[in-house]
Amino acid sequence: MRDSRTLATITLCGSLALSAGAVSAETIRVGIGHQSMVTNTVSGGIVLEKLGLLEKHLPTTGKYEDVDYDIVYRDYDSGPPITNQMLAGKLEFGVMGDYPLIVNGAKFQETGKQETRFIAVTGYNLRGTGNGIVVPISSDVQSLADLEGKTLSVPVGSAAWGMTLKALSEAGLSDKVQIVNQSPAVGAANIQAGRIDAHADFCPWSEIMEFRATGRKIYDGSEAEIPTFHGIVVRESYAEQYPEVVEGVLKATLEAQKWIQENPMEAAVKVADWTGVEKEVLYLYFSKGGITTAEASIKDEWVDAMKYDLDLLKREVGVPDLDFDRWVDDTYLRAAYQAMDLDYDALVNSVVVTQPNNPDFKPAEIWFENKGIVTYDSVAEMLTAMEASGDAINATYVYDNLTGLKLFGKAAYLVRGDDGEVVAFLKKADSEQHIANHGGTPVVPGNALAMAH
């Protein structure tokens, strides 16, 4: 856990004699537990801290006119420690993934004395991409079936763990694959060293391993057909006492999301500097057509997904029940949207869905070291540009031909058709099926540039 504390001196000069009902010389703590290494949470944590957005949006009038804010950011590797700190009264807000959010709400309700409220989403992917199962780069494993008799590690209780249980169950492998509990960093290190057969994790660890060429994805969260997202919970008693502070936190989050949406490359570079996650990985999430949609509204799809997830948690690890009608509360978010002149209902009723060959996005991109992002009208054109250019390349990006999910070019399975066009696939089996149905030749590593002609 990393602790960053700022004593915000948002104290306006004025008379010590405050009007009736005002708070005199009060210090209000705004303690946020977040996960800077998780791409879907950065708009509720690290971006707020580094861009100073809370100081901009916290209330300073009325009963808050003479208030000092003690702003505390605590950075964790996963959601459960944040819940523990909130239960102990040491944090007011928690930013975490869908499964930890559910556990947070259920554990609080179980006390019978205190509760939290689920108040906003920080980032989502409707298909569930962001979770994934990875094997060492040199592994012979190509599918879930190949994991029979092998060992798979995963952060137990995470969204990736829920995805893994569902995937193995549907494949008839629940009792044929040994599952062990490992944190993201440990699992990634073991994949790199070849000490584990497979590792399942949440965003952006699968893509980190792909980019570093230490791991290869054999199962994507989209195949589980359950949305994945991260969001914000707040202690109910705090929210009732300081509703305008909660609204301020949410307004800051909305501004952070807008910054990411409008400046994906800048956001990738800056968040990389703040967190150590490679900028190329972050761009895969933040960019247009990328894995993460940074938008805060609480949609019916998210609540339905969490109700499904709760049943799994109750069955597998004995998580107590959760009254969603009490727990889900978008009133603070609606107020923040209104204050920011945004149409909440319109956003609730819209959702970003990936689709193959989306005309809104160019099918290929190169991030050049010196000249930034360049887009191309085809994957074949991108490959030609790679051969012709002498400039250093940070990364390439393409889209899965079947789902429209954005991929690293070097991690995708490319197929060149007889007409010269090149299509990309997330999975090797899908590329082989395409060749069987339509013909074509694999664009193999080491021969990619030759295959552009």
Side-chain angles (χ1 to χ4, degrees):
M1 182 270 289
R2 297 164 291 279
D3 192 341
S4 179
R5 178 182 294 264
T6 303
L7 183 59
T9 56
I10 310 176
T11 306
L12 300 182
C13 296
S15 171
L16 292 177
L18 300 176
S19 62
V23 179
S24 177
E26 181 182 9
T27 297
I28 299 176
R29 187 183 63 193
V30 186
I32 299 176
H34 66 105
Q35 301 169 75
S36 67
M37 291 288 291
V38 180
T39 43
N40 278 357
T41 71
V42 296
S43 64
I46 193 72
V47 175
L48 305 188
E49 178 183 0
K50 297 301 184 180
L51 297 186
L53 298 183
L54 278 188
E55 291 84 346
K56 177 179 178 180
H57 288 287
L58 290 174
T60 58
T61 59
K63 70 177 184 179
Y64 301 97
E65 187 173 355
D66 195 42
V67 161
D68 291 335
Y69 288 107
D70 180 18
I71 300 174
V72 180
Y73 294 95
R74 289 181 181 161
D75 192 359
Y76 296 86
D77 295 328
S78 62
I82 299 175
T83 291
N84 293 337
Q85 291 296 298
M86 292 180 72
L87 281 165
K90 296 180 179 180
L91 290 172
E92 286 68 55
F93 298 86
V95 191
M96 59 191 81
D98 38 20
Y99 277 77
L101 284 168
I102 295 165
V103 174
N104 177 284
K107 282 191 171 183
F108 267 86
Q109 285 188 7
E110 187 183 33
T111 68
K113 298 178 181 179
Q114 53 180 333
E115 294 192 9
T116 56
R117 294 292 180 259
F118 173 46
I119 57 172
V121 169
T122 50
Y124 74 84
N125 185 281
L126 182 66
R127 287 184 176 270
T129 294
N131 298 315
I133 300 176
V134 172
V135 298
I137 195 73
S138 60
S139 172
D140 293 332
V141 172
Q142 291 291 341
S143 68
L144 287 179
D146 295 336
L147 291 178
E148 182 172 346
K150 299 184 184 297
T151 301
L152 179 152
S153 65
V154 62
V156 170
S158 68
W161 169 79
M163 172 207 69
T164 300
L165 293 182
K166 184 176 188 291
L168 294 178
S169 175
E170 292 180 349
L173 295 169
S174 295
D175 58 349
K176 298 176 182 177
V177 176
Q178 181 183 1
I179 294 179
V180 297
N181 185 17
Q182 286 185 343
S183 69
V186 172
N190 285 335
I191 285 289
Q192 180 174 0
R195 290 192 294 262
I196 193 79
D197 297 312
H199 178 70
D201 223 321
F202 45 81
C203 58
W205 285 95
S206 294
E207 291 74 26
I208 287 176
M209 287 180 273
E210 283 185 325
F211 181 74
R212 295 175 182 174
T214 59
R216 175 170 46 80
K217 190 184 296 185
I218 62 163
Y219 186 89
D220 185 78
S222 61
E223 298 176 68
E225 299 180 342
I226 298 293
T228 187
F229 56 91
H230 291 66
I232 303 174
V233 284
V234 62
R235 288 195 292 110
E236 179 201 25
S237 59
Y238 182 90
E240 289 184 343
Q241 186 175 4
Y242 304 117
E244 298 87 358
V245 173
V246 176
E247 182 183 328
V249 170
L250 294 179
K251 286 192 291 185
T253 298
L254 294 178
E255 183 170 340
Q257 292 176 329
K258 185 173 185 288
W259 176 68
I260 292 170
Q261 292 166 358
E262 295 180 351
N263 310 280
M265 182 177 169
E266 177 189 358
V269 170
K270 287 191 173 181
V271 175
D273 183 54
W274 300 333
T275 66
V277 177
E278 288 88 343
K279 62 184 182 298
E280 296 84 357
V281 174
L282 292 166
Y283 184 78
L284 179 63
Y285 275 82
F286 296 162
S287 58
K288 292 181 179 179
I291 295 173
T292 290
T293 298
E295 191 264 296
S297 67
I298 301 175
K299 308 177 194 297
D300 290 342
E301 290 91 338
W302 311 155
V303 179
D304 290 342
M306 287 193 290
K307 288 179 178 177
Y308 172 90
D309 296 341
L310 176 61
D311 288 338
L312 179 67
L313 287 165
K314 289 165 69 174
R315 183 173 68 250
E316 294 291 338
V317 291
V319 168
D321 200 11
L322 174 61
D323 185 336
F324 283 91
D325 290 336
R326 294 210 314 268
W327 182 58
V328 178
D329 185 352
D330 65 2
T331 57
Y332 304 99
L333 188 58
R334 285 181 178 275
Y337 269 75
Q338 184 175 5
M340 303 285 280
D341 198 26
L342 297 170
D343 188 337
Y344 183 81
D345 289 323
L347 288 166
V348 165
N349 293 317
S350 66
V351 62
V352 174
V353 183
T354 56
Q355 56 178 301
N357 304 308
N358 190 328
D360 292 336
F361 309 127
K362 293 289 188 178
E365 295 173 274
I366 298 177
W367 187 344
F368 288 100
E369 182 177 317
N370 295 322
K371 56 185 178 182
I373 302 292
V374 178
T375 61
Y376 298 91
D377 291 328
S378 70
V379 179
E381 183 181 333
M382 179 192 76
L383 294 175
T384 299
M386 291 172 65
E387 181 183 56
S389 175
D391 295 332
I393 292 174
N394 291 332
T396 60
Y397 304 92
V398 296
Y399 294 89
D400 178 44
N401 193 54
L402 298 181
T403 64
L405 294 170
K406 198 164 192 175
L407 314 171
F408 282 122
K410 70 176 183 179
Y413 294 91
L414 305 180
V415 176
R416 180 179 183 272
D418 296 336
D419 60 358
E421 288 301 312
V422 179
V423 291
F425 295 92
L426 168 69
K427 299 176 68 176
K428 183 178 182 181
D430 292 336
S431 70
E432 292 172 342
Q433 188 62 52
H434 179 85
I435 292 173
N437 293 340
H438 305 285
T441 309
V443 181
V444 298
N447 195 33
L449 302 184
M451 293 301 295
H453 300 292

Short mmCIF file of all heavy atoms in Angstrom, two decimals, residues 98-99 102-103 156-170 174 179 224 226 304-321 324:
data_model
loop_
_atom_site.label_atom_id
_atom_site.label_comp_id
_atom_site.label_asym_id
_atom_site.label_seq_id
_atom_site.Cartn_x
_atom_site.Cartn_y
_atom_site.Cartn_z
N ASP A 98 -15.63 -5.06 -10.07
CA ASP A 98 -17.01 -5.49 -9.83
C ASP A 98 -17.14 -6.51 -8.71
O ASP A 98 -17.99 -6.36 -7.82
CB ASP A 98 -17.64 -6.01 -11.13
CG ASP A 98 -16.68 -6.80 -12.00
OD1 ASP A 98 -15.65 -7.28 -11.49
OD2 ASP A 98 -16.96 -6.94 -13.21
N TYR A 99 -16.33 -7.54 -8.70
CA TYR A 99 -16.42 -8.54 -7.62
C TYR A 99 -16.06 -7.94 -6.26
O TYR A 99 -16.81 -8.11 -5.29
CB TYR A 99 -15.53 -9.74 -7.94
CG TYR A 99 -16.18 -10.74 -8.87
CD1 TYR A 99 -16.28 -10.49 -10.23
CD2 TYR A 99 -16.71 -11.93 -8.38
CE1 TYR A 99 -16.89 -11.40 -11.09
CE2 TYR A 99 -17.32 -12.85 -9.23
CZ TYR A 99 -17.40 -12.58 -10.58
OH TYR A 99 -18.01 -13.47 -11.43
N ILE A 102 -18.91 -5.84 -4.90
CA ILE A 102 -20.00 -6.63 -4.33
C ILE A 102 -19.65 -7.06 -2.91
O ILE A 102 -20.47 -6.96 -1.99
CB ILE A 102 -20.28 -7.86 -5.21
CG1 ILE A 102 -20.79 -7.43 -6.58
CG2 ILE A 102 -21.27 -8.80 -4.54
CD1 ILE A 102 -20.75 -8.53 -7.61
N VAL A 103 -18.43 -7.56 -2.73
CA VAL A 103 -18.00 -8.00 -1.40
C VAL A 103 -18.02 -6.83 -0.43
O VAL A 103 -18.42 -6.97 0.72
CB VAL A 103 -16.59 -8.63 -1.48
CG1 VAL A 103 -16.08 -8.95 -0.08
CG2 VAL A 103 -16.63 -9.90 -2.33
N VAL A 156 -7.67 -14.54 -6.12
CA VAL A 156 -8.97 -15.06 -5.70
C VAL A 156 -9.86 -13.91 -5.21
O VAL A 156 -9.41 -13.04 -4.46
CB VAL A 156 -8.80 -16.13 -4.60
CG1 VAL A 156 -10.16 -16.50 -3.99
CG2 VAL A 156 -8.14 -17.37 -5.19
N GLY A 157 -11.10 -13.92 -5.65
CA GLY A 157 -12.05 -12.89 -5.28
C GLY A 157 -12.14 -11.76 -6.28
O GLY A 157 -13.01 -10.90 -6.18
N SER A 158 -11.25 -11.77 -7.27
CA SER A 158 -11.26 -10.71 -8.28
C SER A 158 -12.22 -11.05 -9.42
O SER A 158 -12.74 -12.16 -9.51
CB SER A 158 -9.85 -10.54 -8.87
OG SER A 158 -9.49 -11.68 -9.64
N ALA A 159 -12.44 -10.08 -10.31
CA ALA A 159 -13.28 -10.33 -11.48
C ALA A 159 -12.65 -11.41 -12.36
O ALA A 159 -13.37 -12.23 -12.96
CB ALA A 159 -13.45 -9.04 -12.27
N ALA A 160 -11.31 -11.44 -12.43
CA ALA A 160 -10.64 -12.47 -13.23
C ALA A 160 -10.88 -13.85 -12.64
O ALA A 160 -11.00 -14.84 -13.38
CB ALA A 160 -9.15 -12.17 -13.31
N TRP A 161 -10.96 -13.95 -11.33
CA TRP A 161 -11.25 -15.22 -10.67
C TRP A 161 -12.66 -15.68 -11.03
O TRP A 161 -12.88 -16.85 -11.37
CB TRP A 161 -11.09 -15.04 -9.17
CG TRP A 161 -11.59 -16.17 -8.32
CD1 TRP A 161 -10.96 -17.35 -8.07
CD2 TRP A 161 -12.82 -16.21 -7.59
NE1 TRP A 161 -11.72 -18.13 -7.23
CE2 TRP A 161 -12.87 -17.46 -6.92
CE3 TRP A 161 -13.88 -15.33 -7.45
CZ2 TRP A 161 -13.95 -17.82 -6.12
CZ3 TRP A 161 -14.96 -15.69 -6.65
CH2 TRP A 161 -14.98 -16.92 -6.00
N GLY A 162 -13.62 -14.76 -10.99
CA GLY A 162 -14.99 -15.12 -11.37
C GLY A 162 -15.07 -15.56 -12.81
O GLY A 162 -15.75 -16.55 -13.14
N MET A 163 -14.37 -14.86 -13.70
CA MET A 163 -14.32 -15.26 -15.10
C MET A 163 -13.74 -16.65 -15.25
O MET A 163 -14.25 -17.49 -16.02
CB MET A 163 -13.47 -14.26 -15.89
CG MET A 163 -13.16 -14.66 -17.33
SD MET A 163 -11.62 -13.94 -17.94
CE MET A 163 -10.39 -14.84 -16.97
N THR A 164 -12.67 -16.93 -14.49
CA THR A 164 -12.00 -18.23 -14.59
C THR A 164 -12.92 -19.36 -14.14
O THR A 164 -13.01 -20.40 -14.80
CB THR A 164 -10.72 -18.22 -13.74
OG1 THR A 164 -9.84 -17.19 -14.22
CG2 THR A 164 -10.02 -19.56 -13.80
N LEU A 165 -13.61 -19.17 -13.03
CA LEU A 165 -14.54 -20.21 -12.54
C LEU A 165 -15.62 -20.50 -13.57
O LEU A 165 -15.96 -21.65 -13.83
CB LEU A 165 -15.17 -19.77 -11.23
CG LEU A 165 -14.25 -19.67 -10.01
CD1 LEU A 165 -15.05 -19.27 -8.78
CD2 LEU A 165 -13.49 -20.96 -9.76
N LYS A 166 -16.16 -19.44 -14.16
CA LYS A 166 -17.22 -19.62 -15.16
C LYS A 166 -16.67 -20.33 -16.39
O LYS A 166 -17.30 -21.25 -16.93
CB LYS A 166 -17.80 -18.26 -15.56
CG LYS A 166 -18.99 -18.34 -16.53
CD LYS A 166 -19.56 -16.94 -16.79
CE LYS A 166 -20.86 -17.03 -17.59
NZ LYS A 166 -20.65 -17.47 -18.97
N ALA A 167 -15.51 -19.91 -16.86
CA ALA A 167 -14.92 -20.50 -18.07
C ALA A 167 -14.60 -21.98 -17.87
O ALA A 167 -14.89 -22.81 -18.74
CB ALA A 167 -13.67 -19.73 -18.46
N LEU A 168 -13.98 -22.32 -16.74
CA LEU A 168 -13.62 -23.71 -16.49
C LEU A 168 -14.86 -24.57 -16.32
O LEU A 168 -14.91 -25.72 -16.78
CB LEU A 168 -12.73 -23.80 -15.26
CG LEU A 168 -11.34 -23.15 -15.37
CD1 LEU A 168 -10.58 -23.29 -14.05
CD2 LEU A 168 -10.54 -23.76 -16.51
N SER A 169 -15.88 -24.02 -15.66
CA SER A 169 -17.11 -24.78 -15.47
C SER A 169 -17.77 -25.09 -16.81
O SER A 169 -18.17 -26.24 -17.06
CB SER A 169 -18.08 -23.99 -14.58
OG SER A 169 -19.33 -24.65 -14.48
N GLU A 170 -17.86 -24.10 -17.67
CA GLU A 170 -18.51 -24.30 -18.97
C GLU A 170 -17.70 -25.23 -19.86
O GLU A 170 -18.27 -25.89 -20.75
CB GLU A 170 -18.73 -22.96 -19.65
CG GLU A 170 -19.76 -22.10 -18.94
CD GLU A 170 -19.97 -20.76 -19.61
OE1 GLU A 170 -19.17 -20.41 -20.50
OE2 GLU A 170 -20.94 -20.06 -19.24
N SER A 174 -13.68 -27.81 -14.24
CA SER A 174 -13.65 -27.28 -12.88
C SER A 174 -12.80 -28.13 -11.94
O SER A 174 -12.09 -27.60 -11.09
CB SER A 174 -15.07 -27.16 -12.33
OG SER A 174 -15.81 -26.21 -13.06
N ILE A 179 -6.39 -24.50 -9.12
CA ILE A 179 -6.36 -23.05 -9.00
C ILE A 179 -5.63 -22.66 -7.72
O ILE A 179 -5.92 -23.19 -6.65
CB ILE A 179 -7.79 -22.46 -8.99
CG1 ILE A 179 -8.47 -22.70 -10.34
CG2 ILE A 179 -7.75 -20.97 -8.68
CD1 ILE A 179 -9.89 -22.18 -10.40
N ALA A 224 -16.45 -14.99 -21.80
CA ALA A 224 -17.34 -15.34 -20.69
C ALA A 224 -18.69 -14.65 -20.80
O ALA A 224 -19.64 -15.01 -20.11
CB ALA A 224 -16.68 -14.98 -19.36
N ILE A 226 -19.72 -11.78 -19.79
CA ILE A 226 -20.13 -11.04 -18.61
C ILE A 226 -19.38 -9.71 -18.61
O ILE A 226 -18.15 -9.70 -18.69
CB ILE A 226 -19.82 -11.81 -17.31
CG1 ILE A 226 -20.57 -13.14 -17.27
CG2 ILE A 226 -20.17 -10.97 -16.09
CD1 ILE A 226 -22.06 -13.02 -17.15
N ASP A 304 -27.23 -5.91 -13.31
CA ASP A 304 -27.58 -7.29 -13.65
C ASP A 304 -26.34 -8.19 -13.58
O ASP A 304 -26.41 -9.33 -13.09
CB ASP A 304 -28.18 -7.36 -15.06
CG ASP A 304 -29.56 -6.73 -15.14
OD1 ASP A 304 -30.19 -6.55 -14.07
OD2 ASP A 304 -30.00 -6.40 -16.26
N ALA A 305 -25.20 -7.68 -14.06
CA ALA A 305 -23.97 -8.47 -14.02
C ALA A 305 -23.55 -8.74 -12.58
O ALA A 305 -23.12 -9.85 -12.23
CB ALA A 305 -22.85 -7.74 -14.76
N MET A 306 -23.70 -7.75 -11.70
CA MET A 306 -23.31 -7.93 -10.31
C MET A 306 -24.23 -8.90 -9.58
O MET A 306 -23.79 -9.64 -8.69
CB MET A 306 -23.25 -6.58 -9.59
CG MET A 306 -22.05 -5.74 -10.01
SD MET A 306 -21.74 -4.31 -8.92
CE MET A 306 -23.14 -3.29 -9.33
N LYS A 307 -25.48 -8.94 -9.96
CA LYS A 307 -26.40 -9.91 -9.35
C LYS A 307 -25.98 -11.33 -9.74
O LYS A 307 -26.01 -12.25 -8.91
CB LYS A 307 -27.83 -9.63 -9.78
CG LYS A 307 -28.40 -8.37 -9.14
CD LYS A 307 -29.82 -8.09 -9.61
CE LYS A 307 -30.38 -6.84 -8.92
NZ LYS A 307 -31.74 -6.50 -9.41
N TYR A 308 -25.56 -11.50 -10.98
CA TYR A 308 -25.02 -12.80 -11.41
C TYR A 308 -23.75 -13.12 -10.63
O TYR A 308 -23.57 -14.24 -10.13
CB TYR A 308 -24.74 -12.78 -12.92
CG TYR A 308 -24.00 -14.01 -13.40
CD1 TYR A 308 -24.68 -15.14 -13.85
CD2 TYR A 308 -22.60 -14.04 -13.41
CE1 TYR A 308 -24.00 -16.27 -14.28
CE2 TYR A 308 -21.90 -15.17 -13.83
CZ TYR A 308 -22.62 -16.27 -14.27
OH TYR A 308 -21.93 -17.40 -14.67
N ASP A 309 -22.87 -12.13 -10.53
CA ASP A 309 -21.60 -12.33 -9.83
C ASP A 309 -21.83 -12.67 -8.35
O ASP A 309 -21.10 -13.48 -7.77
CB ASP A 309 -20.73 -11.08 -9.94
CG ASP A 309 -20.33 -10.76 -11.37
OD1 ASP A 309 -20.39 -11.67 -12.22
OD2 ASP A 309 -19.96 -9.60 -11.63
N LEU A 310 -22.83 -12.04 -7.73
CA LEU A 310 -23.11 -12.30 -6.31
C LEU A 310 -23.47 -13.76 -6.09
O LEU A 310 -23.03 -14.38 -5.11
CB LEU A 310 -24.24 -11.39 -5.81
CG LEU A 310 -24.70 -11.65 -4.37
CD1 LEU A 310 -23.56 -11.42 -3.39
CD2 LEU A 310 -25.90 -10.76 -4.03
N ASP A 311 -24.27 -14.33 -6.97
CA ASP A 311 -24.63 -15.74 -6.83
C ASP A 311 -23.39 -16.62 -6.85
O ASP A 311 -23.28 -17.58 -6.08
CB ASP A 311 -25.59 -16.15 -7.96
CG ASP A 311 -26.98 -15.55 -7.79
OD1 ASP A 311 -27.33 -15.18 -6.65
OD2 ASP A 311 -27.71 -15.45 -8.79
N LEU A 312 -22.45 -16.29 -7.72
CA LEU A 312 -21.19 -17.04 -7.81
C LEU A 312 -20.39 -16.88 -6.51
O LEU A 312 -19.88 -17.87 -5.96
CB LEU A 312 -20.37 -16.56 -8.99
CG LEU A 312 -19.01 -17.23 -9.22
CD1 LEU A 312 -19.20 -18.69 -9.62
CD2 LEU A 312 -18.22 -16.50 -10.29
N LEU A 313 -20.30 -15.67 -6.01
CA LEU A 313 -19.56 -15.41 -4.78
C LEU A 313 -20.19 -16.11 -3.58
O LEU A 313 -19.48 -16.64 -2.71
CB LEU A 313 -19.48 -13.91 -4.52
CG LEU A 313 -18.52 -13.12 -5.44
CD1 LEU A 313 -18.80 -11.64 -5.34
CD2 LEU A 313 -17.07 -13.43 -5.08
N LYS A 314 -21.49 -16.11 -3.50
CA LYS A 314 -22.18 -16.79 -2.40
C LYS A 314 -21.92 -18.29 -2.45
O LYS A 314 -21.70 -18.94 -1.43
CB LYS A 314 -23.68 -16.49 -2.46
CG LYS A 314 -24.03 -15.06 -2.09
CD LYS A 314 -25.44 -14.68 -2.50
CE LYS A 314 -26.47 -15.39 -1.67
NZ LYS A 314 -27.84 -14.87 -1.99
N ARG A 315 -21.93 -18.84 -3.65
CA ARG A 315 -21.76 -20.28 -3.80
C ARG A 315 -20.31 -20.71 -3.56
O ARG A 315 -20.06 -21.74 -2.94
CB ARG A 315 -22.19 -20.68 -5.22
CG ARG A 315 -22.12 -22.18 -5.50
CD ARG A 315 -22.72 -22.53 -6.85
NE ARG A 315 -21.95 -22.01 -7.98
CZ ARG A 315 -22.35 -21.03 -8.77
NH1 ARG A 315 -23.51 -20.41 -8.54
NH2 ARG A 315 -21.60 -20.62 -9.78
N GLU A 316 -19.36 -19.92 -4.04
CA GLU A 316 -17.97 -20.36 -4.02
C GLU A 316 -17.23 -19.99 -2.74
O GLU A 316 -16.40 -20.75 -2.26
CB GLU A 316 -17.23 -19.77 -5.23
CG GLU A 316 -17.71 -20.29 -6.57
CD GLU A 316 -17.39 -21.75 -6.82
OE1 GLU A 316 -16.45 -22.26 -6.17
OE2 GLU A 316 -18.06 -22.38 -7.65
N VAL A 317 -17.51 -18.81 -2.18
CA VAL A 317 -16.73 -18.36 -1.02
C VAL A 317 -17.62 -17.86 0.12
O VAL A 317 -17.11 -17.27 1.08
CB VAL A 317 -15.72 -17.25 -1.43
CG1 VAL A 317 -14.62 -17.83 -2.29
CG2 VAL A 317 -16.41 -16.10 -2.13
N GLY A 318 -18.91 -18.10 0.05
CA GLY A 318 -19.79 -17.79 1.16
C GLY A 318 -19.97 -16.31 1.45
O GLY A 318 -20.19 -15.92 2.61
N VAL A 319 -19.91 -15.48 0.43
CA VAL A 319 -20.15 -14.05 0.62
C VAL A 319 -21.61 -13.85 1.04
O VAL A 319 -22.51 -14.48 0.51
CB VAL A 319 -19.86 -13.28 -0.68
CG1 VAL A 319 -20.37 -11.85 -0.62
CG2 VAL A 319 -18.37 -13.29 -0.97
N PRO A 320 -21.88 -12.99 2.03
CA PRO A 320 -23.26 -12.76 2.47
C PRO A 320 -24.10 -12.09 1.40
O PRO A 320 -23.58 -11.60 0.39
CB PRO A 320 -23.10 -11.86 3.70
CG PRO A 320 -21.76 -11.24 3.56
CD PRO A 320 -20.91 -12.23 2.84
N ASP A 321 -25.40 -12.05 1.64
CA ASP A 321 -26.31 -11.47 0.67
C ASP A 321 -26.12 -9.96 0.59
O ASP A 321 -25.55 -9.33 1.49
CB ASP A 321 -27.75 -11.80 1.06
CG ASP A 321 -28.71 -11.68 -0.12
OD1 ASP A 321 -28.22 -11.54 -1.26
OD2 ASP A 321 -29.93 -11.71 0.10
N PHE A 324 -29.35 -4.96 -3.29
CA PHE A 324 -28.93 -4.02 -4.33
C PHE A 324 -29.78 -2.76 -4.32
O PHE A 324 -29.29 -1.67 -4.66
CB PHE A 324 -28.98 -4.69 -5.70
CG PHE A 324 -27.83 -5.63 -5.96
CD1 PHE A 324 -27.94 -6.97 -5.64
CD2 PHE A 324 -26.65 -5.17 -6.52
CE1 PHE A 324 -26.88 -7.84 -5.88
CE2 PHE A 324 -25.59 -6.03 -6.77
CZ PHE A 324 -25.71 -7.37 -6.44
#
